[in-house]
Amino acid sequence: MKDNVSGCPVEEAMRVLGGRWRLLLVWFLLDGPKRFNELRRHLPTISQRMLTLDLRALEQSGLISRTVHPEVPPRVEYALTEEGERLRPVVGAFQDFGVWLKQRDADVSSTD
């Protein structure tokens, strides 16, 4: 990951959560552990490579855990860590903002 150049805490958060998919992955994991293909079904336009890279980055930052169950074939699950649970209010704020944006856009469209 890139270094934080400004020292700003917002930049640090964006360094970890930036990009199109990471916060969405956290949102899906708020409901509980998910397997790789479950996450892929939730995000059908994400490439397998990008999903892998973003899951690794979130794991490296300590926000999610990866558990390999000793089965044949191996079952791998991703889950939020205790640190990752701290993102619950952040995701909630983004969700509220998204609902507001959709309503605002609907209100603008209905007045046209």
Side-chain angles (χ1 to χ4, degrees):
M1 278 190 245
K2 295 179 180 177
D3 292 331
N4 182 335
V5 294
S6 69
C8 173
V10 173
E11 182 185 354
E12 186 64 18
M14 292 304 299
R15 186 183 66 77
V16 174
L17 296 172
R20 183 175 180 183
W21 306 109
R22 291 183 190 173
L23 202 55
L24 280 171
L25 289 168
V26 169
W27 186 73
F28 289 118
L29 292 173
L30 286 172
D31 291 337
K34 303 276 186 291
R35 295 176 70 175
F36 185 89
N37 283 331
E38 286 180 88
L39 293 168
R40 190 125 189 247
R41 278 191 293 275
H42 285 301
L43 302 165
T45 58
I46 192 171
S47 69
Q48 184 168 334
R49 181 178 187 278
M50 184 52 64
L51 179 55
T52 299
L53 290 173
D54 280 349
L55 287 170
R56 284 182 187 160
L58 290 169
E59 183 182 9
Q60 183 181 1
S61 66
L63 299 175
I64 66 171
S65 63
R66 180 180 184 267
T67 304
V68 180
H69 297 276
E71 302 172 358
V72 178
R75 179 170 50 102
V76 179
E77 287 185 328
Y78 297 90
L80 288 179
T81 62
E82 195 172 311
E83 290 181 12
E85 282 289 334
R86 293 179 59 115
L87 291 170
R88 194 173 287 277
V90 173
V91 172
F94 267 82
Q95 187 173 4
D96 292 346
F97 184 65
V99 168
W100 176 80
L101 284 173
K102 287 175 96 172
Q103 183 60 49
R104 183 192 70 173
D105 292 347
D107 291 345
V108 168
S109 295
S110 66
T111 59
D112 288 345

